[in-house]
Amino acid sequence: MPPAASGWWYEAALIVIDWGSTGFRAWRLDDASGAIQAQCAGPYGITALRPGEHGPLLKREIGTWLAEGESFVLAAGMIGSRQGWHEMPYIPCPAGLADLAQAARRMPWNEGPDIWFCPGLCCRDDQGVPDVIRGEEMQVFGLLDEAAGDSHFCLPGTHGKAVLARDGKVIGFATHFTGELYALLSRHGLLASVLQPPSAPDPAAFAAGVARSGDPGGLLHHVFGVRARALFGEVSGMAAAEYLSGILIGHELRQLPSGPQLILAGEGALVARYAEAAGLLGLNATLAPAHAAARGLYRLGCLLQ
């Protein structure tokens, strides 16, 4: 093993990165066990960066780890998209970790060691319309065990994913525009004038939105109803934001298959909000352990070393 900066010998580690549209997360993982040694995160998604900014930002975030001798770096997510750093292809489903490893590419980095970039996955729905995923699949691969049978995952985020996995492979998935749509409606257009960021959760308003998502009329009609209810004084600005959130998340969850257990994977308040909505809808949902993406990236990294 190479010596660390101090001159002492050390146990090698993997640096794995989940770099999405709106956020950046990196972990330093023990090479032998995958245990998290250190981590960092920030709102440095690819949509906030210009060409040429990826390398310097990465050096700033993980430079200390590199200075201590780490040399294996693996990046997944939107950083490998057309809008990212190095565009990587989409691998058709069904696909497992071995398929991703075969398609991964090692790219030079002027400010550090070579970086392995992970491809995305693609599939088509029953009507033949294509769908794509980058990054979220690492959470799934971090949670899959050796058990046979189907596993259903809900991965909340800017573009939420509903994923079906079987026997260690992603069979297919569906993307929902929920997170980005909420952000757009909250900042631009007619609804933005009546919505106020909630200072605290409003369970009643959120539950009313989830219930509304099951009424006739469709999503677009339900969304405009937020504006109309505010005009008539039926919801305040903060309650209206919670009500809208419930409508959007409710519509997404109602599209998921009923019956089998649903695994909610992610971190923070957003996943807790989805768990709340799932309970209101009577879905059999369980929360996955934290840092599933790090675990999936570790498993992929072991195949690439």
PDB file of all heavy atoms in Angstrom, residues 63-99:
ATOM      1  N   GLY A  63      -9.979  16.783  -1.317  1.00  0.00           N
ATOM      2  CA  GLY A  63      -8.540  16.969  -1.395  1.00  0.00           C
ATOM      3  C   GLY A  63      -7.789  16.437  -0.194  1.00  0.00           C
ATOM      4  O   GLY A  63      -6.679  15.896  -0.337  1.00  0.00           O
ATOM      5  N   THR A  64      -8.378  16.562   0.991  1.00  0.00           N
ATOM      6  CA  THR A  64      -7.717  16.057   2.195  1.00  0.00           C
ATOM      7  C   THR A  64      -7.547  14.550   2.134  1.00  0.00           C
ATOM      8  O   THR A  64      -6.493  14.009   2.492  1.00  0.00           O
ATOM      9  CB  THR A  64      -8.515  16.438   3.445  1.00  0.00           C
ATOM     10  OG1 THR A  64      -8.620  17.860   3.523  1.00  0.00           O
ATOM     11  CG2 THR A  64      -7.836  15.917   4.707  1.00  0.00           C
ATOM     12  N   TRP A  65      -8.570  13.845   1.663  1.00  0.00           N
ATOM     13  CA  TRP A  65      -8.487  12.396   1.547  1.00  0.00           C
ATOM     14  C   TRP A  65      -7.413  12.002   0.528  1.00  0.00           C
ATOM     15  O   TRP A  65      -6.652  11.062   0.750  1.00  0.00           O
ATOM     16  CB  TRP A  65      -9.832  11.816   1.131  1.00  0.00           C
ATOM     17  CG  TRP A  65     -10.960  12.132   2.067  1.00  0.00           C
ATOM     18  CD1 TRP A  65     -10.857  12.581   3.355  1.00  0.00           C
ATOM     19  CD2 TRP A  65     -12.347  12.041   1.787  1.00  0.00           C
ATOM     20  NE1 TRP A  65     -12.103  12.771   3.884  1.00  0.00           N
ATOM     21  CE2 TRP A  65     -13.045  12.449   2.946  1.00  0.00           C
ATOM     22  CE3 TRP A  65     -13.090  11.651   0.674  1.00  0.00           C
ATOM     23  CZ2 TRP A  65     -14.433  12.483   3.023  1.00  0.00           C
ATOM     24  CZ3 TRP A  65     -14.473  11.682   0.729  1.00  0.00           C
ATOM     25  CH2 TRP A  65     -15.141  12.091   1.897  1.00  0.00           C
ATOM     26  N   LEU A  66      -7.364  12.731  -0.589  1.00  0.00           N
ATOM     27  CA  LEU A  66      -6.364  12.417  -1.611  1.00  0.00           C
ATOM     28  C   LEU A  66      -4.955  12.666  -1.086  1.00  0.00           C
ATOM     29  O   LEU A  66      -4.025  11.914  -1.393  1.00  0.00           O
ATOM     30  CB  LEU A  66      -6.615  13.269  -2.856  1.00  0.00           C
ATOM     31  CG  LEU A  66      -7.946  13.038  -3.585  1.00  0.00           C
ATOM     32  CD1 LEU A  66      -8.094  14.022  -4.732  1.00  0.00           C
ATOM     33  CD2 LEU A  66      -8.059  11.610  -4.088  1.00  0.00           C
ATOM     34  N   ALA A  67      -4.792  13.720  -0.299  1.00  0.00           N
ATOM     35  CA  ALA A  67      -3.476  14.037   0.253  1.00  0.00           C
ATOM     36  C   ALA A  67      -2.973  12.959   1.202  1.00  0.00           C
ATOM     37  O   ALA A  67      -1.772  12.825   1.431  1.00  0.00           O
ATOM     38  CB  ALA A  67      -3.521  15.387   0.973  1.00  0.00           C
ATOM     39  N   GLU A  68      -3.907  12.180   1.751  1.00  0.00           N
ATOM     40  CA  GLU A  68      -3.531  11.104   2.665  1.00  0.00           C
ATOM     41  C   GLU A  68      -3.258   9.793   1.935  1.00  0.00           C
ATOM     42  O   GLU A  68      -3.035   8.763   2.578  1.00  0.00           O
ATOM     43  CB  GLU A  68      -4.635  10.918   3.714  1.00  0.00           C
ATOM     44  CG  GLU A  68      -4.766  12.125   4.640  1.00  0.00           C
ATOM     45  CD  GLU A  68      -5.939  12.013   5.599  1.00  0.00           C
ATOM     46  OE1 GLU A  68      -6.743  11.062   5.434  1.00  0.00           O
ATOM     47  OE2 GLU A  68      -6.056  12.857   6.491  1.00  0.00           O
ATOM     48  N   GLY A  69      -3.305   9.835   0.601  1.00  0.00           N
ATOM     49  CA  GLY A  69      -2.884   8.675  -0.173  1.00  0.00           C
ATOM     50  C   GLY A  69      -3.960   7.921  -0.911  1.00  0.00           C
ATOM     51  O   GLY A  69      -3.650   6.967  -1.631  1.00  0.00           O
ATOM     52  N   GLU A  70      -5.238   8.316  -0.780  1.00  0.00           N
ATOM     53  CA  GLU A  70      -6.294   7.583  -1.474  1.00  0.00           C
ATOM     54  C   GLU A  70      -6.200   7.815  -2.978  1.00  0.00           C
ATOM     55  O   GLU A  70      -5.940   8.931  -3.430  1.00  0.00           O
ATOM     56  CB  GLU A  70      -7.670   8.002  -0.957  1.00  0.00           C
ATOM     57  CG  GLU A  70      -7.819   7.952   0.559  1.00  0.00           C
ATOM     58  CD  GLU A  70      -7.471   6.606   1.162  1.00  0.00           C
ATOM     59  OE1 GLU A  70      -7.248   5.636   0.416  1.00  0.00           O
ATOM     60  OE2 GLU A  70      -7.397   6.521   2.390  1.00  0.00           O
ATOM     61  N   SER A  71      -6.436   6.771  -3.748  1.00  0.00           N
ATOM     62  CA  SER A  71      -6.269   6.883  -5.197  1.00  0.00           C
ATOM     63  C   SER A  71      -7.410   6.270  -5.994  1.00  0.00           C
ATOM     64  O   SER A  71      -7.407   6.362  -7.227  1.00  0.00           O
ATOM     65  CB  SER A  71      -4.955   6.222  -5.622  1.00  0.00           C
ATOM     66  OG  SER A  71      -4.953   4.843  -5.273  1.00  0.00           O
ATOM     67  N   PHE A  72      -8.384   5.647  -5.330  1.00  0.00           N
ATOM     68  CA  PHE A  72      -9.519   5.073  -6.056  1.00  0.00           C
ATOM     69  C   PHE A  72     -10.729   5.984  -5.859  1.00  0.00           C
ATOM     70  O   PHE A  72     -11.191   6.190  -4.733  1.00  0.00           O
ATOM     71  CB  PHE A  72      -9.847   3.670  -5.562  1.00  0.00           C
ATOM     72  CG  PHE A  72     -10.978   3.018  -6.334  1.00  0.00           C
ATOM     73  CD1 PHE A  72     -10.721   2.245  -7.449  1.00  0.00           C
ATOM     74  CD2 PHE A  72     -12.299   3.217  -5.950  1.00  0.00           C
ATOM     75  CE1 PHE A  72     -11.757   1.670  -8.171  1.00  0.00           C
ATOM     76  CE2 PHE A  72     -13.340   2.647  -6.663  1.00  0.00           C
ATOM     77  CZ  PHE A  72     -13.061   1.868  -7.784  1.00  0.00           C
ATOM     78  N   VAL A  73     -11.227   6.529  -6.966  1.00  0.00           N
ATOM     79  CA  VAL A  73     -12.368   7.445  -6.922  1.00  0.00           C
ATOM     80  C   VAL A  73     -13.415   6.956  -7.919  1.00  0.00           C
ATOM     81  O   VAL A  73     -13.102   6.716  -9.089  1.00  0.00           O
ATOM     82  CB  VAL A  73     -11.955   8.888  -7.269  1.00  0.00           C
ATOM     83  CG1 VAL A  73     -13.151   9.829  -7.159  1.00  0.00           C
ATOM     84  CG2 VAL A  73     -10.821   9.358  -6.356  1.00  0.00           C
ATOM     85  N   LEU A  74     -14.645   6.811  -7.459  1.00  0.00           N
ATOM     86  CA  LEU A  74     -15.757   6.345  -8.288  1.00  0.00           C
ATOM     87  C   LEU A  74     -16.907   7.329  -8.170  1.00  0.00           C
ATOM     88  O   LEU A  74     -17.327   7.673  -7.055  1.00  0.00           O
ATOM     89  CB  LEU A  74     -16.210   4.955  -7.825  1.00  0.00           C
ATOM     90  CG  LEU A  74     -17.515   4.405  -8.406  1.00  0.00           C
ATOM     91  CD1 LEU A  74     -17.410   4.228  -9.921  1.00  0.00           C
ATOM     92  CD2 LEU A  74     -17.884   3.076  -7.733  1.00  0.00           C
ATOM     93  N   ALA A  75     -17.422   7.797  -9.299  1.00  0.00           N
ATOM     94  CA  ALA A  75     -18.498   8.784  -9.313  1.00  0.00           C
ATOM     95  C   ALA A  75     -19.698   8.255 -10.078  1.00  0.00           C
ATOM     96  O   ALA A  75     -19.567   7.700 -11.169  1.00  0.00           O
ATOM     97  CB  ALA A  75     -18.023  10.093  -9.936  1.00  0.00           C
ATOM     98  N   ALA A  76     -20.884   8.433  -9.507  1.00  0.00           N
ATOM     99  CA  ALA A  76     -22.137   8.041 -10.150  1.00  0.00           C
ATOM    100  C   ALA A  76     -23.113   9.204 -10.077  1.00  0.00           C
ATOM    101  O   ALA A  76     -22.909  10.165  -9.340  1.00  0.00           O
ATOM    102  CB  ALA A  76     -22.724   6.802  -9.475  1.00  0.00           C
ATOM    103  N   GLY A  77     -24.177   9.104 -10.840  1.00  0.00           N
ATOM    104  CA  GLY A  77     -25.208  10.130 -10.819  1.00  0.00           C
ATOM    105  C   GLY A  77     -25.172  11.010 -12.048  1.00  0.00           C
ATOM    106  O   GLY A  77     -24.572  10.679 -13.081  1.00  0.00           O
ATOM    107  N   MET A  78     -25.778  12.183 -11.928  1.00  0.00           N
ATOM    108  CA  MET A  78     -25.897  13.099 -13.055  1.00  0.00           C
ATOM    109  C   MET A  78     -24.563  13.700 -13.484  1.00  0.00           C
ATOM    110  O   MET A  78     -24.485  14.338 -14.531  1.00  0.00           O
ATOM    111  CB  MET A  78     -26.884  14.217 -12.702  1.00  0.00           C
ATOM    112  CG  MET A  78     -28.335  13.756 -12.619  1.00  0.00           C
ATOM    113  SD  MET A  78     -28.935  13.109 -14.206  1.00  0.00           S
ATOM    114  CE  MET A  78     -29.035  14.627 -15.150  1.00  0.00           C
ATOM    115  N   ILE A  79     -23.519  13.488 -12.707  1.00  0.00           N
ATOM    116  CA  ILE A  79     -22.199  13.928 -13.118  1.00  0.00           C
ATOM    117  C   ILE A  79     -21.775  13.214 -14.404  1.00  0.00           C
ATOM    118  O   ILE A  79     -20.943  13.718 -15.160  1.00  0.00           O
ATOM    119  CB  ILE A  79     -21.171  13.671 -11.992  1.00  0.00           C
ATOM    120  CG1 ILE A  79     -19.863  14.413 -12.271  1.00  0.00           C
ATOM    121  CG2 ILE A  79     -20.941  12.187 -11.782  1.00  0.00           C
ATOM    122  CD1 ILE A  79     -20.007  15.918 -12.309  1.00  0.00           C
ATOM    123  N   GLY A  80     -22.379  12.055 -14.686  1.00  0.00           N
ATOM    124  CA  GLY A  80     -22.096  11.327 -15.914  1.00  0.00           C
ATOM    125  C   GLY A  80     -23.109  11.577 -17.015  1.00  0.00           C
ATOM    126  O   GLY A  80     -23.123  10.861 -18.017  1.00  0.00           O
ATOM    127  N   SER A  81     -23.944  12.595 -16.851  1.00  0.00           N
ATOM    128  CA  SER A  81     -24.961  12.900 -17.857  1.00  0.00           C
ATOM    129  C   SER A  81     -24.414  13.847 -18.918  1.00  0.00           C
ATOM    130  O   SER A  81     -23.286  14.335 -18.837  1.00  0.00           O
ATOM    131  CB  SER A  81     -26.181  13.543 -17.186  1.00  0.00           C
ATOM    132  OG  SER A  81     -25.853  14.852 -16.739  1.00  0.00           O
ATOM    133  N   ARG A  82     -25.228  14.159 -19.887  1.00  0.00           N
ATOM    134  CA  ARG A  82     -24.831  15.079 -20.954  1.00  0.00           C
ATOM    135  C   ARG A  82     -24.550  16.473 -20.408  1.00  0.00           C
ATOM    136  O   ARG A  82     -23.736  17.219 -20.958  1.00  0.00           O
ATOM    137  CB  ARG A  82     -25.944  15.131 -22.018  1.00  0.00           C
ATOM    138  CG  ARG A  82     -25.599  15.904 -23.266  1.00  0.00           C
ATOM    139  CD  ARG A  82     -26.610  15.614 -24.355  1.00  0.00           C
ATOM    140  NE  ARG A  82     -26.623  14.183 -24.684  1.00  0.00           N
ATOM    141  CZ  ARG A  82     -27.512  13.612 -25.496  1.00  0.00           C
ATOM    142  NH1 ARG A  82     -28.470  14.348 -26.056  1.00  0.00           N
ATOM    143  NH2 ARG A  82     -27.463  12.314 -25.736  1.00  0.00           N
ATOM    144  N   GLN A  83     -25.208  16.829 -19.311  1.00  0.00           N
ATOM    145  CA  GLN A  83     -25.008  18.129 -18.693  1.00  0.00           C
ATOM    146  C   GLN A  83     -23.917  18.092 -17.621  1.00  0.00           C
ATOM    147  O   GLN A  83     -23.654  19.104 -16.962  1.00  0.00           O
ATOM    148  CB  GLN A  83     -26.312  18.625 -18.054  1.00  0.00           C
ATOM    149  CG  GLN A  83     -27.442  18.889 -19.029  1.00  0.00           C
ATOM    150  CD  GLN A  83     -28.109  17.606 -19.526  1.00  0.00           C
ATOM    151  OE1 GLN A  83     -28.182  16.619 -18.797  1.00  0.00           O
ATOM    152  NE2 GLN A  83     -28.595  17.626 -20.767  1.00  0.00           N
ATOM    153  N   GLY A  84     -23.290  16.934 -17.422  1.00  0.00           N
ATOM    154  CA  GLY A  84     -22.331  16.776 -16.348  1.00  0.00           C
ATOM    155  C   GLY A  84     -20.887  16.953 -16.793  1.00  0.00           C
ATOM    156  O   GLY A  84     -20.567  17.781 -17.649  1.00  0.00           O
ATOM    157  N   TRP A  85     -20.017  16.119 -16.245  1.00  0.00           N
ATOM    158  CA  TRP A  85     -18.570  16.241 -16.475  1.00  0.00           C
ATOM    159  C   TRP A  85     -18.146  15.392 -17.677  1.00  0.00           C
ATOM    160  O   TRP A  85     -17.585  15.894 -18.638  1.00  0.00           O
ATOM    161  CB  TRP A  85     -17.850  15.803 -15.207  1.00  0.00           C
ATOM    162  CG  TRP A  85     -16.402  16.137 -15.128  1.00  0.00           C
ATOM    163  CD1 TRP A  85     -15.605  16.664 -16.117  1.00  0.00           C
ATOM    164  CD2 TRP A  85     -15.568  15.981 -13.978  1.00  0.00           C
ATOM    165  NE1 TRP A  85     -14.325  16.832 -15.658  1.00  0.00           N
ATOM    166  CE2 TRP A  85     -14.269  16.425 -14.335  1.00  0.00           C
ATOM    167  CE3 TRP A  85     -15.782  15.504 -12.689  1.00  0.00           C
ATOM    168  CZ2 TRP A  85     -13.200  16.399 -13.446  1.00  0.00           C
ATOM    169  CZ3 TRP A  85     -14.717  15.480 -11.806  1.00  0.00           C
ATOM    170  CH2 TRP A  85     -13.448  15.933 -12.181  1.00  0.00           C
ATOM    171  N   HIS A  86     -18.407  14.089 -17.607  1.00  0.00           N
ATOM    172  CA  HIS A  86     -18.123  13.178 -18.716  1.00  0.00           C
ATOM    173  C   HIS A  86     -19.399  12.373 -18.991  1.00  0.00           C
ATOM    174  O   HIS A  86     -19.883  11.671 -18.107  1.00  0.00           O
ATOM    175  CB  HIS A  86     -16.979  12.221 -18.377  1.00  0.00           C
ATOM    176  CG  HIS A  86     -15.644  12.883 -18.250  1.00  0.00           C
ATOM    177  ND1 HIS A  86     -14.961  13.410 -19.333  1.00  0.00           N
ATOM    178  CD2 HIS A  86     -14.865  13.117 -17.162  1.00  0.00           C
ATOM    179  CE1 HIS A  86     -13.822  13.942 -18.920  1.00  0.00           C
ATOM    180  NE2 HIS A  86     -13.739  13.770 -17.611  1.00  0.00           N
ATOM    181  N   GLU A  87     -19.928  12.481 -20.196  1.00  0.00           N
ATOM    182  CA  GLU A  87     -21.162  11.767 -20.508  1.00  0.00           C
ATOM    183  C   GLU A  87     -20.910  10.271 -20.616  1.00  0.00           C
ATOM    184  O   GLU A  87     -20.005   9.830 -21.330  1.00  0.00           O
ATOM    185  CB  GLU A  87     -21.773  12.283 -21.808  1.00  0.00           C
ATOM    186  CG  GLU A  87     -23.118  11.636 -22.116  1.00  0.00           C
ATOM    187  CD  GLU A  87     -23.775  12.181 -23.373  1.00  0.00           C
ATOM    188  OE1 GLU A  87     -23.147  13.027 -24.055  1.00  0.00           O
ATOM    189  OE2 GLU A  87     -24.908  11.762 -23.671  1.00  0.00           O
ATOM    190  N   MET A  88     -21.720   9.510 -19.903  1.00  0.00           N
ATOM    191  CA  MET A  88     -21.630   8.056 -19.919  1.00  0.00           C
ATOM    192  C   MET A  88     -22.897   7.484 -20.543  1.00  0.00           C
ATOM    193  O   MET A  88     -23.964   8.090 -20.472  1.00  0.00           O
ATOM    194  CB  MET A  88     -21.464   7.532 -18.491  1.00  0.00           C
ATOM    195  CG  MET A  88     -20.171   7.973 -17.821  1.00  0.00           C
ATOM    196  SD  MET A  88     -18.725   7.300 -18.648  1.00  0.00           S
ATOM    197  CE  MET A  88     -18.948   5.545 -18.331  1.00  0.00           C
ATOM    198  N   PRO A  89     -22.808   6.294 -21.140  1.00  0.00           N
ATOM    199  CA  PRO A  89     -23.983   5.720 -21.809  1.00  0.00           C
ATOM    200  C   PRO A  89     -25.010   5.205 -20.812  1.00  0.00           C
ATOM    201  O   PRO A  89     -24.766   5.117 -19.603  1.00  0.00           O
ATOM    202  CB  PRO A  89     -23.382   4.570 -22.610  1.00  0.00           C
ATOM    203  CG  PRO A  89     -22.187   4.153 -21.800  1.00  0.00           C
ATOM    204  CD  PRO A  89     -21.616   5.428 -21.246  1.00  0.00           C
ATOM    205  N   TYR A  90     -26.173   4.862 -21.327  1.00  0.00           N
ATOM    206  CA  TYR A  90     -27.218   4.189 -20.548  1.00  0.00           C
ATOM    207  C   TYR A  90     -27.202   2.704 -20.882  1.00  0.00           C
ATOM    208  O   TYR A  90     -27.170   2.323 -22.058  1.00  0.00           O
ATOM    209  CB  TYR A  90     -28.599   4.772 -20.862  1.00  0.00           C
ATOM    210  CG  TYR A  90     -28.799   6.181 -20.368  1.00  0.00           C
ATOM    211  CD1 TYR A  90     -28.782   7.262 -21.255  1.00  0.00           C
ATOM    212  CD2 TYR A  90     -29.016   6.441 -19.019  1.00  0.00           C
ATOM    213  CE1 TYR A  90     -28.974   8.563 -20.816  1.00  0.00           C
ATOM    214  CE2 TYR A  90     -29.210   7.741 -18.572  1.00  0.00           C
ATOM    215  CZ  TYR A  90     -29.189   8.791 -19.471  1.00  0.00           C
ATOM    216  OH  TYR A  90     -29.380  10.071 -19.011  1.00  0.00           O
ATOM    217  N   ILE A  91     -27.243   1.867 -19.857  1.00  0.00           N
ATOM    218  CA  ILE A  91     -27.258   0.423 -20.023  1.00  0.00           C
ATOM    219  C   ILE A  91     -28.712  -0.047 -19.926  1.00  0.00           C
ATOM    220  O   ILE A  91     -29.405   0.284 -18.965  1.00  0.00           O
ATOM    221  CB  ILE A  91     -26.408  -0.265 -18.941  1.00  0.00           C
ATOM    222  CG1 ILE A  91     -25.004   0.338 -18.908  1.00  0.00           C
ATOM    223  CG2 ILE A  91     -26.366  -1.769 -19.185  1.00  0.00           C
ATOM    224  CD1 ILE A  91     -24.273   0.286 -20.211  1.00  0.00           C
ATOM    225  N   PRO A  92     -29.200  -0.817 -20.906  1.00  0.00           N
ATOM    226  CA  PRO A  92     -30.606  -1.237 -20.855  1.00  0.00           C
ATOM    227  C   PRO A  92     -30.871  -2.243 -19.736  1.00  0.00           C
ATOM    228  O   PRO A  92     -30.030  -3.087 -19.420  1.00  0.00           O
ATOM    229  CB  PRO A  92     -30.834  -1.860 -22.235  1.00  0.00           C
ATOM    230  CG  PRO A  92     -29.477  -2.264 -22.712  1.00  0.00           C
ATOM    231  CD  PRO A  92     -28.518  -1.264 -22.145  1.00  0.00           C
ATOM    232  N   CYS A  93     -32.043  -2.130 -19.151  1.00  0.00           N
ATOM    233  CA  CYS A  93     -32.497  -3.091 -18.143  1.00  0.00           C
ATOM    234  C   CYS A  93     -33.047  -4.341 -18.832  1.00  0.00           C
ATOM    235  O   CYS A  93     -33.518  -4.262 -19.967  1.00  0.00           O
ATOM    236  CB  CYS A  93     -33.583  -2.463 -17.269  1.00  0.00           C
ATOM    237  SG  CYS A  93     -32.966  -1.146 -16.202  1.00  0.00           S
ATOM    238  N   PRO A  94     -32.987  -5.485 -18.142  1.00  0.00           N
ATOM    239  CA  PRO A  94     -32.482  -5.680 -16.781  1.00  0.00           C
ATOM    240  C   PRO A  94     -30.961  -5.586 -16.724  1.00  0.00           C
ATOM    241  O   PRO A  94     -30.269  -5.994 -17.663  1.00  0.00           O
ATOM    242  CB  PRO A  94     -32.985  -7.070 -16.417  1.00  0.00           C
ATOM    243  CG  PRO A  94     -33.203  -7.762 -17.711  1.00  0.00           C
ATOM    244  CD  PRO A  94     -33.586  -6.720 -18.700  1.00  0.00           C
ATOM    245  N   ALA A  95     -30.466  -5.046 -15.615  1.00  0.00           N
ATOM    246  CA  ALA A  95     -29.028  -4.856 -15.472  1.00  0.00           C
ATOM    247  C   ALA A  95     -28.635  -4.985 -14.007  1.00  0.00           C
ATOM    248  O   ALA A  95     -29.378  -4.567 -13.112  1.00  0.00           O
ATOM    249  CB  ALA A  95     -28.622  -3.480 -15.997  1.00  0.00           C
ATOM    250  N   GLY A  96     -27.470  -5.574 -13.776  1.00  0.00           N
ATOM    251  CA  GLY A  96     -26.931  -5.722 -12.435  1.00  0.00           C
ATOM    252  C   GLY A  96     -25.613  -4.989 -12.295  1.00  0.00           C
ATOM    253  O   GLY A  96     -25.139  -4.314 -13.230  1.00  0.00           O
ATOM    254  N   LEU A  97     -24.984  -5.124 -11.145  1.00  0.00           N
ATOM    255  CA  LEU A  97     -23.724  -4.436 -10.898  1.00  0.00           C
ATOM    256  C   LEU A  97     -22.635  -4.849 -11.877  1.00  0.00           C
ATOM    257  O   LEU A  97     -21.806  -4.032 -12.280  1.00  0.00           O
ATOM    258  CB  LEU A  97     -23.273  -4.700  -9.459  1.00  0.00           C
ATOM    259  CG  LEU A  97     -23.909  -3.836  -8.375  1.00  0.00           C
ATOM    260  CD1 LEU A  97     -23.451  -4.294  -7.001  1.00  0.00           C
ATOM    261  CD2 LEU A  97     -23.565  -2.355  -8.586  1.00  0.00           C
ATOM    262  N   ALA A  98     -22.621  -6.117 -12.264  1.00  0.00           N
ATOM    263  CA  ALA A  98     -21.604  -6.568 -13.210  1.00  0.00           C
ATOM    264  C   ALA A  98     -21.746  -5.851 -14.547  1.00  0.00           C
ATOM    265  O   ALA A  98     -20.735  -5.546 -15.205  1.00  0.00           O
ATOM    266  CB  ALA A  98     -21.705  -8.079 -13.403  1.00  0.00           C
ATOM    267  N   ASP A  99     -22.978  -5.561 -14.969  1.00  0.00           N
ATOM    268  CA  ASP A  99     -23.194  -4.836 -16.216  1.00  0.00           C
ATOM    269  C   ASP A  99     -22.687  -3.402 -16.103  1.00  0.00           C
ATOM    270  O   ASP A  99     -22.090  -2.861 -17.042  1.00  0.00           O
ATOM    271  CB  ASP A  99     -24.677  -4.847 -16.575  1.00  0.00           C
ATOM    272  CG  ASP A  99     -25.228  -6.251 -16.728  1.00  0.00           C
ATOM    273  OD1 ASP A  99     -24.747  -6.975 -17.608  1.00  0.00           O
ATOM    274  OD2 ASP A  99     -26.125  -6.621 -15.945  1.00  0.00           O
TER     275      ASP A  99
END
